Amino acid sequence: MIDGTAGVSGRRDADEALLDNPQALAEADPGGMLRHTASAGAQVRESAALAAEANLAVLADDGRPRAVVIAGIGTAGRTGDVLATVAGPRCPVPIIGHRSAGVPGWVGAADVVIAVSASGRSPEALGAAEAAHRRGARLVAVGAPDSQLQSIAEQARAPFIPVPRRAPARASLWALTVPVLLAARSLGLVKVNEADLAETAARLDADADRCRSAGESFVNPAKSLALGLAGSIPIVWGSSPLATVAARRFGDTLSANARYPVVTGALGEAGRGRVGLLDGVFGGLAEGERDIFADPAEDDGEGTRLRLVLLRDGGLNAEDDTDEPLAVEERRADAVQTLAERRGVRCDVVTAEGGSALERLASLIAVPDFASIYLALAHGLDPMAVPAITEMKELSNQ
Ligand SMILES: O=P(O)(O)OC[C@H]1O[C@@H](O)[C@@H](O)[C@@H](O)[C@@H]1O
């Protein structure tokens, strides 16, 4: 173990054996990030029940809004990306994520603002909720019960969906996302139905089971993904807009849990620029020089190389749910795999499964979520405690 600065200790090289020792894994995860992450399916069911108790139907009273703004930061902000992709390119109303305090200047009485904050106290969500109320926009708030966000929603007589707190916020993605989707459903903007929610929850349960700490690395997809990424610079590209939301989420969890630098994005966009990474010193150039007989224990870090994770949508979505023909997305995904292979850059592929957009998204998020935690644990890092985030809050007085 290295005792680093600022009270963080960890291991330079990932301890593979630790991942096959459930006892050691439990000790390395005192806050229970694995357990919190395994509650994703339960979060979907619980949030759907809590949303059913809130009076979301009032949202529809004033008809279809001009625009929907999802205000929040970090994981809360990601819920806006999920809504936008589940609503799809045919959504008649713009869905806009807003990640700073307040709301965009054009927001007014014709619009809906959904303010989201797991703690119920991020300045971004609170500022947006207050601004929405002041400007006469319809407001919905999602977050911790008995929080400042709840009081603002009450003052504004706006629906509030309480999301029980699970520290940290990134372990609450599903609890925060479902109320946002159901608020949008009340507005007639998404088609998510009860069966979609039930199937998504079941998918998350099944993936949590496949990724459980007792499952050995060779049968546990999250452990093998984590071990493949160990020591690399991950690049995570999504083959479709939906898969790109999952890619960005993996960027969040790899950074915050495992503290890995990571490049994420849409493959379509990457294909016109960032794909050049595969040719560089961390990509094809490094692989060309690699001595395949060298002892990996003597690797002094100079051999750091890229590892590509390709999240593929699998071409399962209905043709009218996409903004690009499925065949184009599929060809591009095949192409980048060929490119990686030609350069010796290793590539993991996760392919979406399931019928609805929400379930497919869940199938691309679940295994990577666990992988980020196993990667943290293999490096001796507590995936829950991130001193840098706490220090940022203290130093910037937030
Ligand atoms: O969801 P709330 O509580 O507003 O937090 C928003 C974000 O705040 C940051 O400081 C981190 O803690 C993130 O993990 C979190 O997603």
Side-chain angles (χ1 to χ4, degrees):
M1 292 289 264
I2 313 165
D3 276 325
T5 47
V8 186
S9 61
R11 244 176 246 113
R12 175 77 180 75
D13 297 313
D15 178 353
E16 293 194 21
L18 183 124
L19 293 193
D20 281 332
N21 181 343
Q23 174 75 28
L25 281 172
E27 280 163 21
D29 180 22
M33 270 297 265
L34 284 170
R35 184 167 35 86
H36 287 303
T37 302
S39 74
Q43 290 180 35
V44 169
R45 292 184 203 95
E46 184 186 46
S47 268
L50 289 165
E53 286 169 24
N55 189 14
L56 288 173
V58 295
L59 288 176
D61 289 352
D62 294 321
R64 181 185 283 177
R66 180 179 59 175
V68 176
V69 173
I70 294 86
I73 194 88
T75 303
R78 283 275 166 253
T79 66
D81 303 345
V82 175
L83 173 58
T85 196
V86 170
R90 305 277 169 272
C91 181
V93 163
I95 294 179
I96 294 151
H98 188 72
R99 289 176 160 91
S100 51
V103 289
W106 49 262
V107 168
D111 306 304
V112 168
V113 173
I114 309 182
V116 189
S117 169
S119 61
R121 52 166 205 245
S122 80
E124 292 79 9
L126 296 180
E130 276 164 354
H133 179 42
R134 257 196 327 270
R135 294 186 197 198
R138 277 173 274 173
L139 171 68
V140 186
V142 179
D146 305 316
S147 59
Q148 282 164 277
L149 185 60
Q150 177 165 13
S151 343
I152 296 174
E154 278 167 6
Q155 277 161 26
R157 296 181 195 287
F160 174 77
I161 297 108
V163 171
R165 276 213 81 177
R166 262 175 215 86
R170 59 188 178 281
S172 294
L173 174 70
W174 294 99
L176 295 171
T177 294
V178 168
V180 171
L181 292 172
L182 294 179
R185 183 175 76 177
S186 303
L187 293 163
L189 303 180
V190 286
K191 285 185 267 175
V192 175
N193 59 33
E194 305 317 310
D196 296 338
L197 290 171
E199 284 159 15
T200 300
R203 164 85 48 196
L204 289 165
D205 285 346
D207 281 340
D209 191 53
R210 292 198 299 142
C211 297
R212 69 189 186 282
S213 60
E216 300 208 1
S217 298
F218 65 92
V219 287
N220 183 319
K223 288 183 184 177
S224 29
L225 183 55
L227 289 175
L229 289 173
S232 75
I233 300 172
I235 297 188
V236 189
W237 283 325
S239 72
S240 69
L242 179 135
T244 300
V245 175
R248 298 222 154 92
R249 162 70 177 178
F250 200 16
D252 296 342
T253 57
L254 276 174
S255 306
N257 295 335
R259 280 146 267 197
Y260 264 51
V262 52
V263 176
T264 64
L267 183 55
E269 175 69 21
R272 303 302 175 93
R274 293 185 179 198
V275 77
L277 283 167
L278 299 180
D279 288 336
V281 287
F282 299 107
L285 280 184
E287 299 297 343
E289 275 191 345
R290 185 165 305 282
D291 173 4
I292 52 166
F293 299 110
D295 179 357
E298 284 174 18
D299 191 340
D300 54 8
E302 272 182 33
T304 302
R305 56 189 199 270
L306 301 175
R307 177 117 185 170
L308 177 60
V309 180
L310 183 61
L311 303 182
R312 294 190 66 144
D313 204 343
L316 296 166
N317 38 341
E319 200 65 57
D320 66 352
D321 271 357
T322 61
D323 41 14
E324 266 185 312
L326 292 176
V328 173
E329 289 180 357
E330 289 293 287
R331 273 205 306 276
R332 212 186 266 138
D334 290 340
V336 80
Q337 282 184 247
T338 306
L339 245 67
E341 203 175 301
R342 282 184 186 161
R343 286 156 181 76
V345 173
R346 261 144 288 198
C347 175
D348 298 281
V349 180
V350 182
T351 304
E353 289 174 36
S356 65
L358 190 61
E359 186 183 352
R360 290 203 319 280
L361 183 66
S363 76
L364 291 178
I365 287 181
V367 173
D369 265 13
F370 280 101
S372 71
I373 299 170
Y374 285 124
L375 189 53
L377 298 174
H379 280 287
L381 291 162
D382 176 352
M384 187 172 276
V386 188
I389 300 178
T390 322
E391 271 174 63
M392 270 302 280
K393 280 186 190 156
E394 282 165 10
L395 291 170
S396 58
N397 218 355
Q398 282 198 318

